[in-house]
Amino acid sequence: MATATTVIEMPATHTNQHASVENSNGSIPVPDRSASTQIPLEPFGQANGQVVEAWERWNRPRINTYRLAAIFFAFLVFGMNDGSYGALVPYIEQDYRLSYIVTSLVFLSPFAGYTVAALFSDRLHMFVGRRGIAVIAPSCKLISYAVIAAHPPYPAVVAILVLTGLSNGLVDAAWNAWIGTLAQTNQLLGLLHGFYGLGATISPLISTSMITHGRLGWWTFFYIMTGLSALEILTGTWAFWSETGAKYIDMNRTDGADKGMTRKALKQKVTWICASFLLCYVGLEVSLGGWIVNFMIRVRKGQPFPSGMTATGFWLGLTVGRVVLGFITPIIGERIAVSAYLVIAVGCELVFWLVPQFIVSAVAVALVGFFTGPIFPSTIIAVTKLLPSEMHVAAIGFSAAVGGSGAALLPFAVGAIAQAKGPATLQPIVLALLAVLLGIWLTLPRMPKRLHEA
């Protein structure tokens, strides 16, 4: 993807036609791709008369440092949103006097927003650029959170969460794609999703403390989320102000064609495998994080505050896993590493299910989070390695948004099954999803060591 690389022309024995492309350092002559060879290298290198392409780094050009900070903050807020459900669901259920299946609608309604994000993310980039995404996505969340903070009737809560789904789908697609083509991608994606996990870790702690110790209504947590969304608009807009739709189109031209990239990406088998994988993975993640508090209260007979802390333990394990294992995964290789993580997670889940003790369950669920933590960023790496760079935004956007829809569909399904069979059904469902994930992952083609060279 041209937006994530700087192209340098080395001395050659022949003359090429040049076009001018703006980056943070000004106008750089870019040779005609048909007359030269581009070799992705990091750091800069020479290739005797060939064009050498060097991947941008997190701190080169300097504006990338500020953009990365804005994106990390956006994923912190994203994680706080997803992590809050587990702690808030029992109180929403009690406040509105709902059944499991009706309560589960808070997971299902964002699906419509995720669907829109999946279909139109690439096209929206062309119209408004990354600057527009940085404005639109958090604005949708701000509206949604402000409405929920007013403690409206339950149908209004369900309806307005569609905007939250749209926001999260756009954030997921845009910022994963941007970071996915920088140098040291594995480590940066591990940190990115580590911030998501950090947000998901602290939100159950904050919301549970507000409710159990502060004696506040569950909806007051969204006062905090409204303020954070407003701050996200300011930081993202400032960092990506120069990233307009026209610039996005110009920097992502491929052989004169810059349209229909989503359609092309959807014709790739890898796109559908990764989308299916993320649907199950994100569904697993949010189902376990979203229903674990209810499970610990109803099945393990825990008290409200310690049970709420098990959700914090799960998301903390996920956060630490993404950061720590994010540095180990590229050494082992994504294909082998993710397979091993899933096998270990299956073992931890069996302990969680079969040993009916509160402490053992709390530790086991944290370990499940730890070993499943690096899976999402590893999937994004797989897309960038297996597909041409011009398809990254469309393919990652579609896969991430489909994964987001899993966060809506599967937790709703878990709630529906719990309504019929009881909350103890959470554990066999999680175990089955882990097995399905391993099967889907093994269908991916062999991955090259470096990013795909388009």
Short mmCIF file of all heavy atoms in Angstrom, two decimals, residues 68-101:
data_model
loop_
_atom_site.label_atom_id
_atom_site.label_comp_id
_atom_site.label_asym_id
_atom_site.label_seq_id
_atom_site.Cartn_x
_atom_site.Cartn_y
_atom_site.Cartn_z
N LEU A 68 -0.07 7.19 15.61
CA LEU A 68 -0.09 5.94 16.38
C LEU A 68 -0.67 6.17 17.77
O LEU A 68 -1.47 5.36 18.26
CB LEU A 68 1.33 5.39 16.47
CG LEU A 68 1.46 3.91 16.86
CD1 LEU A 68 0.84 3.03 15.79
CD2 LEU A 68 2.92 3.54 17.06
N ALA A 69 -0.31 7.28 18.39
CA ALA A 69 -0.85 7.59 19.72
C ALA A 69 -2.36 7.78 19.66
O ALA A 69 -3.10 7.29 20.54
CB ALA A 69 -0.18 8.85 20.28
N ALA A 70 -2.85 8.47 18.61
CA ALA A 70 -4.29 8.68 18.46
C ALA A 70 -5.02 7.35 18.24
O ALA A 70 -6.11 7.12 18.78
CB ALA A 70 -4.56 9.62 17.29
N ILE A 71 -4.40 6.46 17.45
CA ILE A 71 -5.02 5.16 17.19
C ILE A 71 -5.02 4.29 18.44
O ILE A 71 -6.00 3.59 18.74
CB ILE A 71 -4.27 4.46 16.04
CG1 ILE A 71 -4.57 5.16 14.72
CG2 ILE A 71 -4.66 2.99 15.94
CD1 ILE A 71 -3.75 4.66 13.56
N PHE A 72 -3.94 4.32 19.20
CA PHE A 72 -3.90 3.57 20.45
C PHE A 72 -5.01 4.04 21.39
O PHE A 72 -5.67 3.22 22.05
CB PHE A 72 -2.54 3.73 21.13
CG PHE A 72 -1.44 2.92 20.52
CD1 PHE A 72 -0.12 3.13 20.90
CD2 PHE A 72 -1.70 1.93 19.58
CE1 PHE A 72 0.91 2.37 20.36
CE2 PHE A 72 -0.68 1.17 19.03
CZ PHE A 72 0.63 1.39 19.42
N PHE A 73 -5.22 5.35 21.46
CA PHE A 73 -6.29 5.87 22.32
C PHE A 73 -7.66 5.43 21.80
O PHE A 73 -8.54 5.07 22.60
CB PHE A 73 -6.23 7.39 22.39
CG PHE A 73 -7.29 8.00 23.25
CD1 PHE A 73 -7.25 7.88 24.62
CD2 PHE A 73 -8.36 8.68 22.68
CE1 PHE A 73 -8.24 8.41 25.43
CE2 PHE A 73 -9.36 9.23 23.47
CZ PHE A 73 -9.30 9.10 24.85
N ALA A 74 -7.85 5.44 20.47
CA ALA A 74 -9.12 4.99 19.89
C ALA A 74 -9.40 3.54 20.26
O ALA A 74 -10.54 3.17 20.58
CB ALA A 74 -9.09 5.16 18.37
N PHE A 75 -8.37 2.69 20.24
CA PHE A 75 -8.57 1.28 20.59
C PHE A 75 -8.75 1.10 22.09
O PHE A 75 -9.38 0.13 22.52
CB PHE A 75 -7.42 0.44 20.05
CG PHE A 75 -7.74 -0.21 18.73
CD1 PHE A 75 -7.91 0.57 17.60
CD2 PHE A 75 -7.92 -1.58 18.61
CE1 PHE A 75 -8.23 0.00 16.38
CE2 PHE A 75 -8.24 -2.16 17.40
CZ PHE A 75 -8.40 -1.37 16.28
N LEU A 76 -8.20 1.99 22.89
CA LEU A 76 -8.47 1.96 24.33
C LEU A 76 -9.97 2.17 24.58
O LEU A 76 -10.60 1.42 25.35
CB LEU A 76 -7.66 3.03 25.04
CG LEU A 76 -7.87 3.16 26.55
CD1 LEU A 76 -7.12 2.03 27.28
CD2 LEU A 76 -7.37 4.50 27.07
N VAL A 77 -10.55 3.16 23.90
CA VAL A 77 -11.99 3.43 24.04
C VAL A 77 -12.81 2.27 23.47
O VAL A 77 -13.82 1.86 24.04
CB VAL A 77 -12.35 4.75 23.33
CG1 VAL A 77 -13.85 5.03 23.45
CG2 VAL A 77 -11.57 5.92 23.93
N PHE A 78 -12.37 1.74 22.34
CA PHE A 78 -13.01 0.57 21.71
C PHE A 78 -13.06 -0.59 22.70
O PHE A 78 -14.10 -1.24 22.90
CB PHE A 78 -12.20 0.22 20.46
CG PHE A 78 -12.76 -0.88 19.61
CD1 PHE A 78 -13.99 -1.47 19.84
CD2 PHE A 78 -12.02 -1.34 18.52
CE1 PHE A 78 -14.49 -2.48 19.03
CE2 PHE A 78 -12.50 -2.34 17.71
CZ PHE A 78 -13.73 -2.93 17.96
N GLY A 79 -11.93 -0.85 23.36
CA GLY A 79 -11.88 -1.94 24.33
C GLY A 79 -12.75 -1.68 25.54
O GLY A 79 -13.39 -2.60 26.07
N MET A 80 -12.79 -0.42 26.00
CA MET A 80 -13.66 -0.10 27.13
C MET A 80 -15.12 -0.37 26.80
O MET A 80 -15.89 -0.81 27.66
CB MET A 80 -13.47 1.36 27.53
CG MET A 80 -12.13 1.66 28.19
SD MET A 80 -11.97 3.36 28.76
CE MET A 80 -13.12 3.37 30.14
N ASN A 81 -15.50 -0.11 25.55
CA ASN A 81 -16.87 -0.40 25.12
C ASN A 81 -17.16 -1.90 25.23
O ASN A 81 -18.13 -2.31 25.87
CB ASN A 81 -17.06 0.07 23.68
CG ASN A 81 -18.42 -0.31 23.13
OD1 ASN A 81 -19.41 0.38 23.34
ND2 ASN A 81 -18.49 -1.42 22.42
N ASP A 82 -16.30 -2.72 24.61
CA ASP A 82 -16.57 -4.16 24.58
C ASP A 82 -16.43 -4.80 25.96
O ASP A 82 -17.17 -5.72 26.30
CB ASP A 82 -15.62 -4.83 23.59
CG ASP A 82 -16.01 -4.56 22.14
OD1 ASP A 82 -17.02 -3.87 21.91
OD2 ASP A 82 -15.29 -5.04 21.24
N GLY A 83 -15.47 -4.31 26.74
CA GLY A 83 -15.25 -4.91 28.06
C GLY A 83 -16.33 -4.58 29.07
O GLY A 83 -16.49 -5.29 30.06
N SER A 84 -17.07 -3.51 28.83
CA SER A 84 -18.09 -3.08 29.81
C SER A 84 -19.31 -3.99 29.82
O SER A 84 -20.01 -4.07 30.83
CB SER A 84 -18.52 -1.65 29.52
OG SER A 84 -19.20 -1.55 28.28
N TYR A 85 -19.58 -4.67 28.70
CA TYR A 85 -20.81 -5.46 28.61
C TYR A 85 -20.90 -6.52 29.71
O TYR A 85 -21.95 -6.71 30.33
CB TYR A 85 -20.92 -6.13 27.25
CG TYR A 85 -21.25 -5.19 26.12
CD1 TYR A 85 -20.37 -5.03 25.05
CD2 TYR A 85 -22.42 -4.45 26.12
CE1 TYR A 85 -20.66 -4.15 24.01
CE2 TYR A 85 -22.72 -3.59 25.08
CZ TYR A 85 -21.84 -3.44 24.03
OH TYR A 85 -22.12 -2.57 23.00
N GLY A 86 -19.78 -7.24 29.91
CA GLY A 86 -19.81 -8.32 30.90
C GLY A 86 -20.20 -7.84 32.28
O GLY A 86 -20.96 -8.50 32.99
N ALA A 87 -19.66 -6.67 32.67
CA ALA A 87 -19.97 -6.14 34.00
C ALA A 87 -21.36 -5.54 34.08
O ALA A 87 -22.00 -5.59 35.14
CB ALA A 87 -18.91 -5.08 34.38
N LEU A 88 -21.85 -4.97 32.98
CA LEU A 88 -23.12 -4.25 33.01
C LEU A 88 -24.35 -5.13 32.75
O LEU A 88 -25.45 -4.79 33.19
CB LEU A 88 -23.10 -3.11 31.98
CG LEU A 88 -22.07 -2.00 32.22
CD1 LEU A 88 -22.15 -0.96 31.11
CD2 LEU A 88 -22.29 -1.34 33.57
N VAL A 89 -24.16 -6.25 32.03
CA VAL A 89 -25.31 -7.08 31.64
C VAL A 89 -26.17 -7.50 32.83
O VAL A 89 -27.41 -7.39 32.78
CB VAL A 89 -24.84 -8.30 30.83
CG1 VAL A 89 -25.85 -9.44 30.90
CG2 VAL A 89 -24.61 -7.90 29.37
N PRO A 90 -25.60 -7.98 33.96
CA PRO A 90 -26.48 -8.38 35.07
C PRO A 90 -27.32 -7.22 35.61
O PRO A 90 -28.48 -7.43 36.03
CB PRO A 90 -25.48 -8.88 36.14
CG PRO A 90 -24.26 -9.27 35.38
CD PRO A 90 -24.18 -8.29 34.25
N TYR A 91 -26.78 -6.01 35.58
CA TYR A 91 -27.50 -4.85 36.11
C TYR A 91 -28.53 -4.32 35.11
O TYR A 91 -29.59 -3.83 35.51
CB TYR A 91 -26.50 -3.77 36.50
CG TYR A 91 -25.49 -4.27 37.52
CD1 TYR A 91 -24.21 -4.63 37.12
CD2 TYR A 91 -25.86 -4.42 38.85
CE1 TYR A 91 -23.30 -5.12 38.04
CE2 TYR A 91 -24.94 -4.92 39.78
CZ TYR A 91 -23.67 -5.27 39.36
OH TYR A 91 -22.77 -5.77 40.28
N ILE A 92 -28.21 -4.42 33.82
CA ILE A 92 -29.20 -4.07 32.78
C ILE A 92 -30.38 -5.03 32.87
O ILE A 92 -31.55 -4.63 32.82
CB ILE A 92 -28.56 -4.12 31.38
CG1 ILE A 92 -27.49 -3.03 31.25
CG2 ILE A 92 -29.61 -3.96 30.30
CD1 ILE A 92 -26.70 -3.11 29.95
N GLU A 93 -30.07 -6.31 33.02
CA GLU A 93 -31.11 -7.34 33.15
C GLU A 93 -32.00 -7.07 34.35
O GLU A 93 -33.24 -7.16 34.27
CB GLU A 93 -30.41 -8.70 33.28
CG GLU A 93 -31.34 -9.88 33.47
CD GLU A 93 -30.58 -11.15 33.75
OE1 GLU A 93 -29.35 -11.20 33.50
OE2 GLU A 93 -31.22 -12.11 34.22
N GLN A 94 -31.39 -6.69 35.47
CA GLN A 94 -32.16 -6.44 36.69
C GLN A 94 -32.95 -5.13 36.59
O GLN A 94 -34.10 -5.06 37.02
CB GLN A 94 -31.19 -6.38 37.87
CG GLN A 94 -31.86 -6.17 39.22
CD GLN A 94 -30.83 -6.11 40.35
OE1 GLN A 94 -29.64 -5.93 40.11
NE2 GLN A 94 -31.31 -6.25 41.58
N ASP A 95 -32.34 -4.09 36.01
CA ASP A 95 -32.97 -2.78 35.93
C ASP A 95 -34.24 -2.82 35.09
O ASP A 95 -35.30 -2.30 35.48
CB ASP A 95 -31.97 -1.77 35.35
CG ASP A 95 -32.54 -0.36 35.28
OD1 ASP A 95 -33.39 -0.02 36.12
OD2 ASP A 95 -32.14 0.39 34.38
N TYR A 96 -34.14 -3.45 33.92
CA TYR A 96 -35.29 -3.50 33.01
C TYR A 96 -36.14 -4.76 33.17
O TYR A 96 -37.12 -4.93 32.45
CB TYR A 96 -34.80 -3.40 31.56
CG TYR A 96 -34.21 -2.05 31.19
CD1 TYR A 96 -32.85 -1.91 30.97
CD2 TYR A 96 -35.02 -0.93 31.05
CE1 TYR A 96 -32.30 -0.68 30.62
CE2 TYR A 96 -34.48 0.30 30.71
CZ TYR A 96 -33.12 0.42 30.50
OH TYR A 96 -32.57 1.64 30.15
N ARG A 97 -35.70 -5.66 34.09
CA ARG A 97 -36.42 -6.92 34.36
C ARG A 97 -36.58 -7.74 33.07
O ARG A 97 -37.68 -8.06 32.63
CB ARG A 97 -37.79 -6.63 34.98
CG ARG A 97 -37.68 -5.89 36.32
CD ARG A 97 -39.04 -5.61 36.93
NE ARG A 97 -38.92 -4.87 38.19
CZ ARG A 97 -39.93 -4.46 38.92
NH1 ARG A 97 -41.18 -4.73 38.51
NH2 ARG A 97 -39.75 -3.79 40.03
N LEU A 98 -35.43 -8.11 32.52
CA LEU A 98 -35.39 -8.77 31.23
C LEU A 98 -34.99 -10.24 31.38
O LEU A 98 -34.35 -10.64 32.34
CB LEU A 98 -34.36 -8.08 30.32
CG LEU A 98 -34.54 -6.57 30.12
CD1 LEU A 98 -33.34 -6.01 29.36
CD2 LEU A 98 -35.83 -6.28 29.37
N SER A 99 -35.34 -11.02 30.37
CA SER A 99 -34.85 -12.40 30.27
C SER A 99 -33.47 -12.39 29.62
O SER A 99 -33.01 -11.36 29.11
CB SER A 99 -35.80 -13.24 29.41
OG SER A 99 -35.83 -12.73 28.08
N TYR A 100 -32.78 -13.54 29.62
CA TYR A 100 -31.46 -13.63 28.99
C TYR A 100 -31.52 -13.22 27.52
O TYR A 100 -30.68 -12.47 27.02
CB TYR A 100 -30.91 -15.06 29.08
CG TYR A 100 -30.42 -15.47 30.45
CD1 TYR A 100 -30.70 -16.73 30.95
CD2 TYR A 100 -29.66 -14.61 31.21
CE1 TYR A 100 -30.24 -17.13 32.19
CE2 TYR A 100 -29.19 -14.99 32.46
CZ TYR A 100 -29.49 -16.25 32.95
OH TYR A 100 -29.04 -16.63 34.19
N ILE A 101 -32.51 -13.74 26.82
CA ILE A 101 -32.55 -13.54 25.37
C ILE A 101 -32.83 -12.07 25.02
O ILE A 101 -32.28 -11.53 24.05
CB ILE A 101 -33.58 -14.49 24.71
CG1 ILE A 101 -33.39 -14.49 23.20
CG2 ILE A 101 -35.01 -14.10 25.08
CD1 ILE A 101 -34.15 -15.61 22.51
#
